[in-house]
Each structure stands twice: as C-alpha cells, then as structure tokens.
C-alpha cells in the first residue's frame, strides 16, 4: 500500500517508520525541513507541499494526518480537499474532539477515519493501540497499515461511526488521569509512610503479577530507577489537557458520575 503521511513530529515519525518496516510505501510532508529530512532518511518519499503529496499518491489516496488537534487539522483538510474524492480515505490520528471529527466526516467527499492513538514513544518498538471511527469499508481498506502501525491485528479495531474513535480515546485519557493520580497518591504514601522503601523495588514487584501492574507502572519503575525514590529533578507538576476536560464535560452532559476522573483533573 502507498500511504501519505502529513505531520512528522514524534508520533508521525513512528507511523512512517512502522509503515515502511512493514513493506509499504510512504509519501511524507511536514512544514519542518528537519522533520522531512528525518523521514527521507528512513526511506520515505518526501515532498514540499500538501498538493505535491496528493499528486504523488494518484487515485485511491490513503492519507494519515498526524498534526496538532484543532485549527491545524482543518487547515490541512482545506489544502487537501480540492484533491480528494469519494474513493479516498483520510485518517486523523491526533487527539481531535469527537464532535469536530463528526463535522469533518460530513464535510469531506473522502471517507474520514478518526483514529484515537495511544502508546506514546514506546509505540516505535511495540506499536500503538488504535481506536478507529468511520465507514467500515474505509477501515477495512486501511487495515494493512493499521496492522503495521498498531501492535498487530489485536491492537486496533473499528469502534463505530464517525467520531467514535476519538470519543473512545477521549475517555481513555480520562481513565489515564485517574490511574496516574492513584499511582501518585499511593507512592507518596509509601515514600512518606512508616518504612524506608525502595520504590523501584516496589514498582518492579507490583509489575510482576500484581493486579495493579500496567505500562504506566512500568514507567514509574523506570523513573524510580533513574531518579531514585525522591524522583530527583523530575518536575512535581502535571498539567491538565483538553481530553481530560472533554471527558468530564461529556460525563456531565450524559449524567454519568465520574468522581475519580474529575478529582484527577481538578488536582492537575
């Protein structure tokens, strides 16, 4: 398959790398010459404009956007729209609001897949978890690329119609807020409590068979190993982001109580 990738930041580079490693072709574009050069070194065909990318893809375009949520997505779609038709597929892999994704899907002639992407930098080696919304035929068309970018066939699925992928990712991030808050509170109690504990040892032990083992806890173990139990020079603040706020707003609208997620957002 030939895939166009627009947006070559950290996550976009991972999409390029994993797609190329799976034997597909990539045409890539970014406003940054440095980012474009990095994709070129990986083996992608790089171009100097969105128009050039569309022209290089020909008919039946398959395009993955990995640009910041918000105006950047709409601006990119404005540039792409004259070159798209109903046979083309556009994937938005950023953290767009699900209602924006519904609006964009209705606006475009091309099929629009909203793709919630989770995994962070570790996705370079392990692959991402992909939560996809949009037309079923378009999802099936992109399955070879989703297999490559995700952890494998089990690492992605179609959640439902337009907006559902980013909706699921939004709630995923709200759950992540609560999990991080719980780990933070627990480790603070261990650190300030009755015993002089090695928190790396605690987290390593928990990660091997305990019911609260997780990738987030693996990151804690790595942090304690590198910085010590006091976390050294690690900043003692985590800012709130849009997705956590959106989760709480949606919960209020749907009248679903989410006290843990709300408290974690409020702490931030």
């Amino acid at each position: 398959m030939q895939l166009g990738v627009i947006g070559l930041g950290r996550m976009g580079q991972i999409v390029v790398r994993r797609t190329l490693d799976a034997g597909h072709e990539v045409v890539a574009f970014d406003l940054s010459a440095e980012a474009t050069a990095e994709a070129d070194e990986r083996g992608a065909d790089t171009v100097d404009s969105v128009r050039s990318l569309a022209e290089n893809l020909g008919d039946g375009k398959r395009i993955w956007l990995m640009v910041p949520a918000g105006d950047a997505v709409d601006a990119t779609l404005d540039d792409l729209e004259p070159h798209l038709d109903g046979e083309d597929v556009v994937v938005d892999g950023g953290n767009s609001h699900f209602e924006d994704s519904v609006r964009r899907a209705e606006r475009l002639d091309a099929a629009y897949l909203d793709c919630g992407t989770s995994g962070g930098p570790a996705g370079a080696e392990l692959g991402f978890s992909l939560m996809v919304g949009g037309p079923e035929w378009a999802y099936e068309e992109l399955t070879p690329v989703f297999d490559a970018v995700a952890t494998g066939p089990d690492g992605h699925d179609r959640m439902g119609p337009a907006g559902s992928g980013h909706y699921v990712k939004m709630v995923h991030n709200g759950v992540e807020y609560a999990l991080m808050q719980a780990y933070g509170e627990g480790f603070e109690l261990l650190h300030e409590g009755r015993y002089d504990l090695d928190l790396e040892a605690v987290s390593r032990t928990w990660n091997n068979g305990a019911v609260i083992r997780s990738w987030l806890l693996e990151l804690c173990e790595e942090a304690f190993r590198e910085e010590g139990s006091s976390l050294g020079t690690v900043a003692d603040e985590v800012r709130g982001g849009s997705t956590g706020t959106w989760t709480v707003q949606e919960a209020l609208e749907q009248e679903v109580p989410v006290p843990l997620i709300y408290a974690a957002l409020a702490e931030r």
Side-chain angles (χ1 to χ4, degrees):
M1 180 175 290
Q2 188 182 42
L3 180 72
V5 179
I6 300 175
L8 302 173
R10 183 174 60 183
M11 301 286 275
Q13 295 287 356
I14 296 174
V15 171
V16 169
R17 170 183 165 181
R18 292 186 64 85
T19 302
L20 288 170
D21 287 349
H24 304 293
E25 298 177 15
V26 172
V27 180
F29 169 71
D30 193 278
L31 294 173
S32 165
E34 182 178 348
T36 303
E38 182 178 345
D40 185 74
E41 291 175 3
R42 293 190 184 279
D45 296 325
T46 56
V47 294
D48 59 4
S49 68
V50 169
R51 177 178 178 176
S52 294
L53 180 139
E55 291 173 347
N56 272 268
L57 292 176
D59 296 330
K61 301 173 185 65
R62 307 293 181 251
I63 301 173
W64 191 306
L65 308 185
M66 197 59 92
V67 300
D71 293 341
V73 178
D74 288 314
T76 304
L77 292 176
D78 287 341
D79 290 340
L80 276 174
E81 195 164 17
H83 311 286
L84 299 177
D85 60 35
E87 301 299 316
D88 302 326
V89 181
V90 177
V91 178
D92 176 7
N95 271 333
S96 294
H97 193 281
F98 71 94
E99 290 180 338
D100 288 336
S101 297
V102 172
R103 169 178 57 81
R104 291 164 183 152
E106 293 173 347
R107 159 194 164 187
L108 283 184
D109 290 333
Y112 194 76
L113 297 176
D114 50 289
C115 179
T117 306
S118 181
E125 300 298 332
L126 303 175
F128 291 130
S129 170
L130 303 175
M131 299 141 265
V132 186
E136 187 171 0
W137 74 265
Y139 170 75
E140 291 176 353
E141 280 289 316
L142 266 292
T143 293
V145 167
F146 290 145
D147 285 346
V149 175
T151 55
D154 290 338
H156 64 88
D157 211 331
R158 177 178 176 267
M159 302 292 109
S164 62
H166 282 148
Y167 189 90
V168 172
K169 178 55 163 54
M170 174 188 72
V171 177
H172 160 286
N173 284 18
V175 171
E176 182 183 8
Y177 276 38
L179 289 172
M180 292 173 71
Q181 181 70 21
Y183 284 132
E185 291 178 6
F187 279 116
E188 184 173 12
L189 178 57
L190 292 174
H191 186 56
E192 301 294 336
R194 295 173 181 267
Y195 299 96
D196 182 16
L197 296 168
D198 179 344
L199 298 188
E200 180 194 350
V202 172
S203 54
R204 183 180 65 251
T205 303
W206 282 353
N207 273 320
N208 284 275
V211 295
I212 60 170
R213 64 188 182 274
S214 72
W215 181 59
L216 289 174
L217 189 57
E218 291 175 10
L219 295 177
C220 291
E221 180 184 345
E222 179 182 337
F224 292 132
R225 181 170 59 252
E226 295 182 0
E227 300 287 344
S229 292
S230 66
L231 293 183
T233 60
V234 176
D236 60 352
E237 178 181 1
V238 179
R239 296 187 180 276
S242 299
T243 49
T245 302
W246 296 340
T247 301
V248 171
Q249 290 172 338
E250 174 66 5
L252 289 171
E253 187 169 333
Q254 299 301 326
E255 298 184 352
V256 175
V258 289
L260 297 180
I261 295 174
Y262 173 76
L265 176 66
E267 282 291 328
R268 291 190 179 202

